[in-house]
Amino acid sequence: MQPLSVPPTDADHVLGRLDARVVIVEYGDYDCPHTRRAHGYLLQLLEESAGELTLVFRQFPLRHIHQNAQKLAELAQAIAEPGTFWAAHRALMAERRMSLEVAERVLTGLGLGVAQLAAKSDAAALSVQADVDRGLRDGVHSTPSFFFNGAPHDGHYDIETLRSQIAQAPERAG
């Protein structure tokens, strides 16, 4: 992987402040058990950080491996309101096994209309593809893939490795 080509903006899914000491950009796939496992570590790190850490999530559905990846990414991407997106994101990532049925149950349980989200699939698909295109330019090939203040991390994602990456993150530009 190479350094992040497009820095995060308010147009991304941002949990925290973009001016935080460390901004983690994650490319992930809701149908990927590794992405879902890493999410628990990320939540723990966010809790420990006292506001000095921000998470940005970008869609990177591994369509060639996970049959539901694209549809799951589109459903999540169709959620416009940030607080609602992050509630859905957390709930989807907390599932041990993922399927469209599980995702629909989770989203319905949060009061989201799956049919209304699906009706936005054309726009959501374009947005997902924009994330995928950015990821490909950055050399992303698997999920989860992380960038710490723009510097790539393509490897282990256990809690200690992620803590180490946060500690070693380069200073943020201006």
Side-chain angles (χ1 to χ4, degrees):
M1 290 189 339
Q2 56 200 18
L4 196 64
S5 62
V6 178
T9 69
D10 289 330
D12 284 301
H13 297 294
V14 179
L15 185 59
R17 298 179 346 264
L18 286 174
D19 63 349
R21 187 180 68 76
V22 177
V23 175
I24 301 172
V25 173
E26 174 189 14
Y27 283 92
D29 175 349
Y30 290 103
D31 209 10
C32 173
H34 303 290
T35 299
R36 291 194 312 275
R37 186 175 312 118
H39 185 70
Y41 301 138
L42 292 169
L43 288 178
Q44 183 177 342
L45 293 168
L46 284 165
E47 191 174 299
E48 294 172 1
S49 76
E52 294 199 10
L53 183 65
T54 291
L55 176 62
V56 173
F57 185 80
R58 292 181 177 168
Q59 308 286 349
F60 200 81
L62 298 173
R63 302 168 197 142
H64 61 288
I65 298 174
H66 303 125
Q67 69 180 19
N68 298 314
Q70 180 68 30
K71 183 67 175 167
L72 293 167
E74 289 174 15
L75 284 171
Q77 202 71 2
I79 302 169
E81 200 280 315
T84 306
F85 169 83
W86 285 105
H89 182 81
R90 282 187 179 114
L92 291 169
M93 290 295 177
E95 291 297 323
R96 183 169 168 85
R97 296 198 183 274
M98 184 53 66
S99 67
L100 286 176
E101 295 77 22
V102 167
E104 289 173 358
R105 177 182 47 76
V106 166
L107 296 173
T108 300
L110 292 170
L112 295 166
V114 174
Q116 290 85 354
L117 294 175
K120 300 176 185 176
S121 67
D122 288 347
L126 290 173
S127 181
V128 168
Q129 189 58 49
D131 277 0
V132 170
D133 291 344
R134 286 187 290 191
L136 291 172
R137 277 194 306 275
D138 296 335
V140 172
H141 55 85
S142 63
T143 58
S145 287
F146 300 102
F147 294 81
F148 293 80
N149 287 348
H153 170 71
D154 189 17
H156 295 288
Y157 57 85
D158 60 273
I159 190 81
E160 290 308 320
T161 300
L162 294 176
R163 272 192 190 115
S164 175
Q165 288 299 127
I166 290 167
Q168 297 172 29
E171 291 293 319
R172 297 192 55 231

